[in-house]
Amino acid sequence: MLKLAVILVLLMLGILATKYLDEKSQQKLLVGLGIIVGCAVAFLMATELMR
């Protein structure tokens, strides 16, 4: 549960940081965050299934 909370806090900080970027940089960052979220979800699901 702590892993999930840390990931969510970091994502919220990333989303807040996008407010101060230009439009092109925002899109790149949001795509990057989407990929990171997908990887984190897959990793957490895999670790829970292994238990």
Coordinates of all heavy atoms in Angstrom, one line a residue:
M1 N 0.8 -1.2 0.0 CA 0.0 0.0 0.0 C 0.9 1.3 0.0 O 0.5 2.2 -0.6 CB -0.9 0.0 1.2 CG -2.0 1.0 1.2 SD -3.0 0.8 -0.3 CE -4.6 1.0 0.4
L2 N 2.0 1.2 0.7 CA 2.9 2.3 0.7 C 3.5 2.6 -0.6 O 3.6 3.8 -1.0 CB 4.0 2.1 1.7 CG 5.0 3.2 1.9 CD1 4.3 4.4 2.5 CD2 6.1 2.8 2.9
K3 N 3.8 1.6 -1.4 CA 4.3 1.8 -2.8 C 3.3 2.5 -3.6 O 3.6 3.5 -4.3 CB 4.5 0.4 -3.5 CG 5.6 -0.4 -2.9 CD 5.7 -1.7 -3.6 CE 6.4 -2.8 -2.9 NZ 6.4 -4.1 -3.6
L4 N 2.0 2.2 -3.5 CA 1.0 2.8 -4.3 C 0.8 4.3 -3.9 O 0.7 5.2 -4.7 CB -0.4 2.1 -4.1 CG -1.5 2.6 -4.9 CD1 -1.2 2.4 -6.4 CD2 -2.8 1.8 -4.5
A5 N 0.9 4.6 -2.6 CA 0.8 6.0 -2.1 C 2.0 6.8 -2.6 O 1.8 7.9 -3.1 CB 0.8 6.0 -0.6
V6 N 3.2 6.3 -2.6 CA 4.4 7.0 -3.1 C 4.2 7.3 -4.6 O 4.5 8.4 -5.1 CB 5.7 6.2 -2.8 CG1 6.8 6.8 -3.5 CG2 5.9 6.2 -1.3
I7 N 3.8 6.3 -5.4 CA 3.6 6.5 -6.8 C 2.6 7.5 -7.1 O 2.7 8.4 -7.9 CB 3.2 5.1 -7.5 CG1 4.4 4.2 -7.4 CG2 2.7 5.4 -8.9 CD1 4.1 2.8 -7.8
L8 N 1.4 7.5 -6.3 CA 0.4 8.5 -6.6 C 0.9 9.9 -6.2 O 0.6 10.9 -6.9 CB -0.8 8.2 -5.7 CG -1.6 7.0 -6.2 CD1 -2.8 6.6 -5.3 CD2 -2.2 7.2 -7.6
V9 N 1.6 10.1 -5.1 CA 2.1 11.4 -4.7 C 3.1 11.9 -5.8 O 3.0 13.1 -6.2 CB 2.8 11.3 -3.4 CG1 3.6 12.6 -3.1 CG2 1.8 11.1 -2.3
L10 N 4.0 11.1 -6.3 CA 4.9 11.5 -7.3 C 4.2 11.9 -8.6 O 4.6 12.8 -9.3 CB 5.9 10.4 -7.6 CG 7.0 10.2 -6.5 CD1 7.8 8.9 -6.8 CD2 7.8 11.4 -6.3
L11 N 3.1 11.1 -9.0 CA 2.4 11.5 -10.2 C 1.7 12.8 -10.0 O 1.6 13.6 -10.9 CB 1.4 10.4 -10.5 CG 2.0 9.1 -11.1 CD1 0.9 8.0 -11.1 CD2 2.6 9.4 -12.4
M12 N 1.1 13.1 -8.8 CA 0.5 14.3 -8.6 C 1.5 15.5 -8.7 O 1.1 16.5 -9.2 CB -0.2 14.4 -7.2 CG -1.5 13.5 -7.2 SD -2.6 13.8 -5.9 CE -1.7 13.2 -4.5
L13 N 2.7 15.3 -8.2 CA 3.7 16.3 -8.3 C 4.0 16.6 -9.8 O 4.3 17.7 -10.2 CB 4.9 15.9 -7.5 CG 4.8 16.0 -6.0 CD1 6.1 15.5 -5.3 CD2 4.6 17.5 -5.6
G14 N 4.1 15.5 -10.5 CA 4.4 15.6 -12.0 C 3.3 16.4 -12.7 O 3.6 17.2 -13.6
I15 N 2.1 16.1 -12.4 CA 1.0 16.8 -13.0 C 0.9 18.2 -12.6 O 0.7 19.1 -13.5 CB -0.4 16.1 -12.6 CG1 -0.4 14.7 -13.3 CG2 -1.6 16.9 -13.0 CD1 -1.6 13.8 -12.9
L16 N 1.3 18.6 -11.4 CA 1.3 20.0 -11.0 C 2.5 20.7 -11.7 O 2.3 21.9 -12.1 CB 1.5 20.1 -9.5 CG 0.3 19.7 -8.6 CD1 0.7 19.8 -7.2 CD2 -0.8 20.7 -8.9
A17 N 3.6 20.0 -12.0 CA 4.7 20.6 -12.7 C 4.3 20.9 -14.1 O 4.9 21.8 -14.7 CB 5.9 19.7 -12.6
T18 N 3.4 20.2 -14.7 CA 3.0 20.4 -16.1 C 2.4 21.8 -16.3 O 2.4 22.3 -17.4 CB 2.1 19.4 -16.7 OG1 0.9 19.3 -15.9 CG2 2.8 18.0 -16.7
K19 N 1.8 22.4 -15.3 CA 1.2 23.7 -15.4 C 2.2 24.8 -15.8 O 1.8 25.8 -16.5 CB 0.6 24.1 -14.1 CG -0.7 23.3 -13.7 CD -1.3 23.8 -12.5 CE -2.5 23.0 -12.1 NZ -3.1 23.5 -10.9
Y20 N 3.5 24.6 -15.5 CA 4.5 25.6 -15.8 C 5.2 25.4 -17.0 O 6.2 26.1 -17.3 CB 5.4 25.7 -14.6 CG 4.7 26.0 -13.3 CD1 4.5 25.0 -12.3 CD2 4.2 27.3 -13.1 CE1 3.8 25.3 -11.2 CE2 3.5 27.5 -11.9 CZ 3.3 26.5 -11.0 OH 2.6 26.8 -9.8
L21 N 4.9 24.4 -17.8 CA 5.6 24.1 -19.1 C 4.7 24.6 -20.3 O 3.5 24.8 -20.2 CB 5.8 22.6 -19.2 CG 6.7 21.9 -18.1 CD1 6.7 20.4 -18.3 CD2 8.1 22.5 -18.2
D22 N 5.4 24.7 -21.4 CA 4.7 25.0 -22.6 C 3.9 23.8 -23.1 O 4.1 22.7 -22.6 CB 5.6 25.6 -23.7 CG 6.6 24.6 -24.2 OD1 6.8 23.6 -23.5 OD2 7.3 24.9 -25.2
E23 N 3.1 24.0 -24.1 CA 2.1 22.9 -24.6 C 2.8 21.7 -25.1 O 2.5 20.6 -24.8 CB 1.2 23.5 -25.7 CG -0.2 23.0 -25.5 CD -1.1 23.7 -26.5 OE1 -1.5 24.9 -26.2 OE2 -1.5 23.1 -27.5
K24 N 3.9 21.9 -25.9 CA 4.6 20.8 -26.4 C 5.3 19.9 -25.3 O 5.3 18.7 -25.4 CB 5.6 21.2 -27.4 CG 6.1 20.2 -28.4 CD 6.9 20.8 -29.5 CE 7.2 19.8 -30.6 NZ 7.9 20.4 -31.7
S25 N 5.9 20.6 -24.4 CA 6.5 19.9 -23.3 C 5.5 19.2 -22.4 O 5.8 18.1 -21.9 CB 7.4 20.9 -22.4 OG 8.4 21.4 -23.2
Q26 N 4.3 19.8 -22.2 CA 3.3 19.2 -21.5 C 2.9 17.8 -22.1 O 2.7 16.9 -21.4 CB 2.0 20.1 -21.4 CG 2.1 21.2 -20.4 CD 0.8 22.0 -20.4 OE1 0.0 21.8 -21.2 NE2 0.7 22.9 -19.4
Q27 N 2.7 17.8 -23.4 CA 2.3 16.6 -24.1 C 3.4 15.5 -23.9 O 3.0 14.3 -23.6 CB 2.1 16.8 -25.5 CG 0.8 17.6 -25.8 CD 0.6 17.8 -27.3 OE1 1.5 17.8 -28.1 NE2 -0.7 18.1 -27.7
K28 N 4.6 15.9 -24.0 CA 5.7 14.9 -23.9 C 5.7 14.3 -22.4 O 5.9 13.1 -22.2 CB 7.1 15.5 -24.2 CG 7.3 15.8 -25.6 CD 8.7 16.4 -25.9 CE 8.9 16.7 -27.3 NZ 10.2 17.3 -27.5
L29 N 5.6 15.2 -21.5 CA 5.6 14.8 -20.1 C 4.4 13.9 -19.7 O 4.6 12.9 -19.0 CB 5.7 16.0 -19.1 CG 5.8 15.7 -17.7 CD1 7.2 15.1 -17.4 CD2 5.7 17.0 -16.9
L30 N 3.2 14.3 -20.2 CA 2.1 13.5 -20.0 C 2.1 12.1 -20.6 O 1.7 11.1 -20.0 CB 0.8 14.2 -20.4 CG 0.4 15.4 -19.6 CD1 -0.8 16.2 -20.1 CD2 0.2 15.1 -18.1
V31 N 2.7 12.0 -21.8 CA 2.9 10.7 -22.4 C 3.9 9.9 -21.6 O 3.7 8.7 -21.3 CB 3.4 10.9 -23.9 CG1 3.9 9.5 -24.4 CG2 2.3 11.4 -24.7
G32 N 5.0 10.5 -21.1 CA 6.0 9.9 -20.3 C 5.3 9.4 -19.0 O 5.6 8.3 -18.5
L33 N 4.5 10.2 -18.4 CA 3.9 9.9 -17.1 C 2.9 8.7 -17.3 O 2.8 7.8 -16.5 CB 3.1 11.0 -16.5 CG 3.9 12.1 -15.8 CD1 3.1 13.3 -15.4 CD2 4.7 11.6 -14.7
G34 N 2.2 8.7 -18.5 CA 1.3 7.6 -18.8 C 2.1 6.3 -18.9 O 1.6 5.2 -18.4
I35 N 3.2 6.3 -19.6 CA 4.0 5.1 -19.7 C 4.5 4.6 -18.3 O 4.5 3.4 -18.0 CB 5.2 5.4 -20.6 CG1 4.7 5.6 -22.1 CG2 6.2 4.3 -20.6 CD1 5.7 6.1 -23.0
I36 N 4.9 5.6 -17.5 CA 5.4 5.2 -16.2 C 4.3 4.6 -15.3 O 4.5 3.6 -14.6 CB 6.0 6.5 -15.4 CG1 7.3 6.9 -16.1 CG2 6.2 6.2 -14.0 CD1 7.9 8.2 -15.7
V37 N 3.1 5.2 -15.4 CA 1.9 4.7 -14.7 C 1.6 3.2 -15.1 O 1.4 2.3 -14.3 CB 0.7 5.6 -14.9 CG1 -0.6 4.9 -14.4 CG2 0.9 6.9 -14.1
G38 N 1.6 3.0 -16.5 CA 1.4 1.7 -17.0 C 2.4 0.7 -16.5 O 2.0 -0.4 -16.1
C39 N 3.7 1.1 -16.5 CA 4.7 0.2 -16.0 C 4.6 -0.1 -14.5 O 4.8 -1.2 -14.1 CB 6.1 0.7 -16.3 SG 6.5 0.8 -18.0
A40 N 4.2 0.9 -13.8 CA 4.1 0.8 -12.3 C 2.9 -0.2 -12.0 O 3.0 -1.0 -11.1 CB 3.9 2.1 -11.7
V41 N 1.8 0.0 -12.7 CA 0.7 -0.9 -12.5 C 1.0 -2.3 -12.8 O 0.7 -3.2 -12.1 CB -0.6 -0.4 -13.3 CG1 -1.7 -1.4 -13.3 CG2 -1.1 1.0 -12.7
A42 N 1.7 -2.5 -14.0 CA 2.0 -3.9 -14.4 C 3.0 -4.5 -13.4 O 2.9 -5.7 -13.0 CB 2.7 -3.8 -15.8
F43 N 4.0 -3.7 -12.9 CA 4.9 -4.2 -11.9 C 4.2 -4.6 -10.6 O 4.5 -5.6 -10.0 CB 6.0 -3.2 -11.6 CG 7.0 -3.6 -10.6 CD1 8.0 -4.5 -10.9 CD2 7.0 -3.0 -9.4 CE1 8.9 -4.9 -10.0 CE2 7.9 -3.4 -8.4 CZ 8.9 -4.3 -8.7
L44 N 3.3 -3.7 -10.1 CA 2.6 -4.0 -8.8 C 1.7 -5.2 -9.0 O 1.7 -6.0 -8.1 CB 1.8 -2.8 -8.4 CG 2.6 -1.6 -7.9 CD1 1.7 -0.4 -7.6 CD2 3.4 -1.9 -6.6
M45 N 1.1 -5.4 -10.1 CA 0.2 -6.5 -10.3 C 1.1 -7.8 -10.4 O 0.7 -8.8 -9.8 CB -0.6 -6.4 -11.6 CG -1.7 -5.3 -11.5 SD -2.5 -5.0 -13.1 CE -3.4 -6.6 -13.3
A46 N 2.2 -7.7 -11.0 CA 3.1 -8.9 -11.1 C 3.6 -9.3 -9.7 O 3.7 -10.5 -9.4 CB 4.3 -8.6 -12.0
T47 N 4.0 -8.3 -8.9 CA 4.5 -8.6 -7.6 C 3.4 -9.2 -6.7 O 3.7 -10.1 -5.9 CB 5.2 -7.4 -6.9 OG1 4.2 -6.3 -6.8 CG2 6.4 -7.0 -7.6
E48 N 2.2 -8.7 -6.8 CA 1.1 -9.2 -6.0 C 0.8 -10.6 -6.5 O 0.4 -11.5 -5.6 CB -0.1 -8.3 -6.1 CG 0.1 -7.0 -5.4 CD 0.3 -7.1 -3.9 OE1 -0.4 -8.0 -3.3 OE2 1.2 -6.4 -3.4
L49 N 0.8 -10.9 -7.7 CA 0.5 -12.3 -8.2 C 1.6 -13.3 -7.8 O 1.3 -14.5 -7.6 CB 0.3 -12.2 -9.7 CG -0.9 -11.6 -10.3 CD1 -0.9 -11.5 -11.8 CD2 -2.2 -12.3 -9.8
M50 N 2.8 -12.8 -7.7 CA 3.9 -13.7 -7.3 C 3.8 -14.1 -5.8 O 4.3 -15.2 -5.4 CB 5.2 -13.1 -7.5 CG 5.6 -13.1 -9.0 SD 7.3 -12.4 -9.1 CE 7.4 -12.2 -10.9
R51 N 3.1 -13.3 -5.0 CA 3.0 -13.6 -3.6 C 2.1 -14.7 -3.4 O 1.5 -15.5 -3.5 CB 2.5 -12.4 -2.8 CG 3.6 -11.5 -2.4 CD 3.2 -10.8 -1.2 NE 2.8 -9.4 -1.5 CZ 2.3 -8.6 -0.6 NH1 2.1 -9.0 0.6 NH2 2.0 -7.4 -1.0

